[in-house]
Amino acid sequence: MRWRGRGGVSAGLMSVPASVVASVVASTLVFVLVFVLVALAGCAGGEREGAAPTAPPTTGRSQATSPDPPRTEASPTPTPTPVNPVSIPGLIARPHTGSDLRLGAVLARAAAYTSHAVTYESDGLTISGIMNIPEGEGPFPALVLAHGYIDPAVYTTGRGLAREQDLLAREGYVVLHTDSRNHAGSDDDPDNDVNLRLGYTEDVIGAALALRDSGRPEIDGDRIGLLGRSMGGGVVYNTLVVAPGLFDAAVVFAPVSSRPAENIDHFQRPDGDPVVAEIEAAHGTPASNPAFWREISPLTYVDRVTEPLLIHHGTADTTCPLVWSERTTADFEAAGKDVRLIKYSGEGHTFGPQWPTSMRRTLAFFDEHLR
């Protein structure tokens, strides 16, 4: 068959039987109908087999000019690893509070200062202590004192740093000696020992914040130093990395190790302290959970320290070996921190004959940074 003309039927078609012609016409109509339906479906954006369904249309001007982009599966957002609350990062992440510094009874009066019983609020706990306020016109720079280990069963308010409290107040410093939780009139924290006594660090931070918040005319809240002895030296290390900038300078005497596992092995394990088993049940051993023991050491985060540090240590100290302070000093120096270790030949843990010399150096250090 040959097609002729513009839409007409050729002469040859006239010789084809009518039944054949009808069949051809019917087939052609079906083909045209299918073609039209497919074209309409494509123009309407209909779904195709194997293609992702499009989102329901939305109204608005932007839809008239910008077709919806193809839908893709979003990658899940990684869940951040939670910070262990019993760790230095846990202390760093935690909001700290200190307020409501209250002067209680007068405990003693001297020519140079008056000693008061005090309380303050630290992270929801009431902490007791002693505060010596110099005579004369303030405001005076302030010092927070962190005592060494004394069995809480026999501890009394202000015990442990009596010489330092007296001398520093006579030299014109407001001296706040904190008793820390579980001591004297302070609130109890039953988990503190199992949590490696991190609560003592919170109480020192709270003491500084309470001094700043007090509004008392005798206290210069912009000039605050920190002093710790023995166990309190470890509290100082923690505080410097947890709250850089809170204090202006820090001094430690005969401090414990800055590696808590070393302190446990030296002080608690040999005595059969049952708390050791509780600590290891809760947090693992250094061998089974090294990550925990790294995160509990302030040396892991020594790069955060911003304050100058002075360390006093006797060469004959058998309670806290001198090597502990030597290692800590080396780590501070390696991090580029302002640290000085002064060694006292033949001096023991409690500092006897050379205590006056150590305090003259301490006063010169605080005067340099706080006055």
Side-chain angles (χ1 to χ4, degrees):
M1 294 183 291
R2 291 180 297 170
W3 296 94
R4 301 282 190 209
R6 295 178 299 173
V9 179
S10 67
L13 184 61
M14 300 302 297
S15 62
V16 178
S19 60
V20 174
V21 172
S23 176
V24 170
V25 172
S27 298
T28 301
L29 290 174
V30 170
F31 173 80
V32 171
L33 179 61
V34 171
F35 177 84
V36 170
L37 289 175
V38 170
L40 289 174
C43 293
E47 296 178 9
R48 292 175 295 156
E49 184 178 358
T54 59
T58 58
T59 59
R61 181 174 300 178
S62 62
Q63 292 297 318
T65 56
S66 301
D68 289 338
R71 175 179 292 180
T72 58
E73 293 295 328
S75 300
T77 302
T79 302
T81 303
V83 175
N84 183 356
V86 185
S87 67
I88 297 299
L91 284 183
I92 293 170
R94 189 175 308 159
H96 297 282
T97 60
S99 62
D100 200 22
L101 179 67
R102 296 188 179 188
L103 272 63
V106 172
L107 302 177
R109 291 188 187 275
Y113 65 88
T114 301
S115 181
H116 299 261
V118 297
T119 60
Y120 65 93
E121 299 301 312
S122 173
D123 291 323
L125 299 180
T126 297
I127 306 301
S128 64
I130 288 178
M131 189 163 75
N132 294 345
I133 301 177
E135 296 296 325
E137 185 177 354
F140 303 99
L143 299 173
V144 175
L145 272 55
H147 61 80
Y149 179 79
I150 301 173
D151 186 345
V154 301
Y155 179 91
T156 54
T157 295
R159 186 172 174 181
L161 286 164
R163 295 178 299 177
E164 289 79 5
Q165 294 174 54
D166 175 74
L167 177 60
L168 294 168
R170 291 180 185 279
E171 294 295 329
Y173 287 92
V174 170
V175 180
L176 173 55
H177 180 287
T178 173
D179 292 331
S180 296
R181 61 192 63 192
N182 300 337
H183 291 76
S186 299
D187 285 346
D188 290 336
D189 177 0
D191 298 324
N192 190 58
D193 284 347
V194 174
N195 292 342
L196 286 90
R197 302 172 181 167
L198 290 182
Y200 297 160
T201 301
E202 295 183 82
D203 296 337
V204 164
I205 293 172
L209 294 174
L211 286 168
R212 288 187 172 181
D213 180 68
S214 71
R216 297 194 63 87
E218 311 97 328
I219 301 170
D220 186 342
D222 292 327
R223 295 182 292 164
I224 304 178
L226 176 61
L227 184 148
R229 170 174 165 73
S230 193
M231 180 187 72
V235 174
V236 169
Y237 294 152
N238 286 350
T239 302
L240 293 180
V241 301
V242 171
L246 180 61
F247 292 92
D248 295 291
V251 175
V252 294
F253 279 82
V256 296
S257 174
S258 47
R259 297 169 174 82
E262 202 163 38
N263 291 321
I264 290 175
D265 289 342
H266 185 76
F267 294 111
Q268 295 174 269
R269 201 182 301 278
D271 292 340
D273 188 342
V275 174
V276 175
E278 296 180 50
I279 290 172
E280 293 180 345
H283 308 296
T285 66
S288 67
N289 191 5
F292 169 80
W293 293 94
R294 284 194 302 271
E295 290 185 347
I296 207 71
S297 170
L299 288 183
T300 306
Y301 310 95
V302 70
D303 61 301
R304 290 174 51 85
V305 174
T306 57
E307 291 72 45
L309 172 66
L310 175 62
I311 304 174
H312 301 291
H313 214 129
T315 62
D317 190 339
T318 57
T319 302
C320 292
L322 173 62
V323 67
W324 288 351
S325 287
E326 291 174 334
R327 292 174 185 166
T328 298
T329 300
D331 284 343
F332 270 68
E333 289 176 338
K337 303 307 174 181
D338 184 353
V339 60
R340 182 186 180 194
L341 168 61
I342 302 178
K343 304 176 186 180
Y344 296 81
S345 179
E347 193 65 77
H349 187 61
T350 57
F351 273 71
Q354 298 182 75
W355 181 80
T357 299
S358 70
M359 289 306 296
R360 283 196 298 271
R361 290 168 172 165
T362 295
L363 281 166
F365 179 78
F366 279 138
D367 286 348
E368 177 186 355
H369 295 289
L370 274 70
R371 293 194 187 273

